[in-house]
Amino acid sequence: MTLERRIARVFNLTDDNWMKHANPWSVWTRYSVLPLIVFAFWSRLWIGWWCLIPAGAALLWVFLNPIVFNRPKSTKNWASKAVLGERVYLNRDIVEIPVIHDTPLYKILNTISFTGVMIATWAIIYYSIWGAVLGVALAYLGKSWYLDRMVWLYEMMKSRDAEYQKWDY
């Protein structure tokens, strides 16, 4: 079982929920989470422990976001293809992916994104605006590049597997 499949289980990404998560609204609003978390914890300076309420709401949004939207009317857009590509990638132990996609680049991009999150965390602790901006930007750079590679993977794989073809509408 791939690590990505384990993570998908934590987020309750069943077949139906994967398609809900492929809604562009799900993808684009998910980009709001990191800045909301940074701002929520940063607000402890002004509102003290009450900052846990917006922080908790932002963290709750992480788990609810993939399942609250309807299935997209079409999956012929970048955001939907990115999510479907992630699903293809997590299935790589079942359906073989092209060698060009069996690369350390994905781990590197996720490491860049994770490093950004760690810098943003440091910035929250030390109230560094530049650290927060750098951390969020780095996290989004790594994640967005990773998602773009997932679009490419999905485009390659949708014609090679009948199940993947069904997702293209």
Side-chain angles (χ1 to χ4, degrees):
M1 177 181 293
T2 61
L3 172 63
E4 293 83 4
R5 188 173 292 115
R6 289 185 186 133
I7 293 169
R9 282 188 178 172
V10 170
F11 287 95
N12 192 31
L13 287 173
T14 61
D15 288 343
D16 189 49
N17 286 344
W18 267 110
M19 292 313 290
K20 290 178 180 181
H21 187 37
N23 186 317
W25 280 101
S26 176
V27 175
W28 296 120
T29 58
R30 198 166 176 92
Y31 271 83
S32 68
V33 172
L34 186 56
L36 289 174
I37 290 172
V38 168
F39 184 74
F41 281 111
W42 201 305
S43 70
R44 74 186 187 277
L45 185 64
W46 310 298
I47 61 175
W49 288 104
W50 291 102
C51 74
L52 295 177
I53 294 171
L59 291 172
L60 182 63
W61 179 239
V62 169
F63 288 94
L64 292 178
N65 174 279
I67 61 173
V68 299
F69 295 97
N70 294 324
R71 294 170 66 99
K73 291 182 181 5
S74 170
T75 59
K76 295 183 185 300
N77 60 77
W78 185 89
S80 294
K81 291 176 184 180
V83 170
L84 298 173
E86 286 183 301
R87 191 170 181 196
V88 168
Y89 189 65
L90 77 82
N91 284 337
R92 69 190 179 280
D93 61 335
I94 299 168
V95 178
E96 190 174 333
I97 62 173
V99 174
I100 197 166
H101 289 283
D102 190 13
T103 171
L105 177 62
Y106 301 143
K107 289 183 176 132
I108 292 167
L109 294 174
N110 283 324
T111 300
I112 290 169
S113 186
F114 179 75
T115 301
V117 170
M118 291 298 98
I119 292 170
T121 302
W122 172 86
I124 290 168
I125 294 167
Y126 293 100
Y127 291 107
S128 168
I129 186 73
W130 296 112
V133 170
L134 174 65
V136 170
L138 202 54
Y140 285 167
L141 172 72
K143 184 63 175 180
S144 296
W145 191 355
Y146 174 81
L147 290 176
D148 191 61
R149 300 302 80 202
M150 293 297 105
V151 170
W152 182 29
L153 174 62
Y154 176 66
E155 287 292 346
M156 289 183 80
M157 293 297 294
K158 71 182 179 184
S159 63
R160 298 181 184 190
D161 185 86
E163 179 65 24
Y164 301 160
Q165 284 177 346
K166 293 180 203 173
W167 303 343
D168 192 41
Y169 59 88

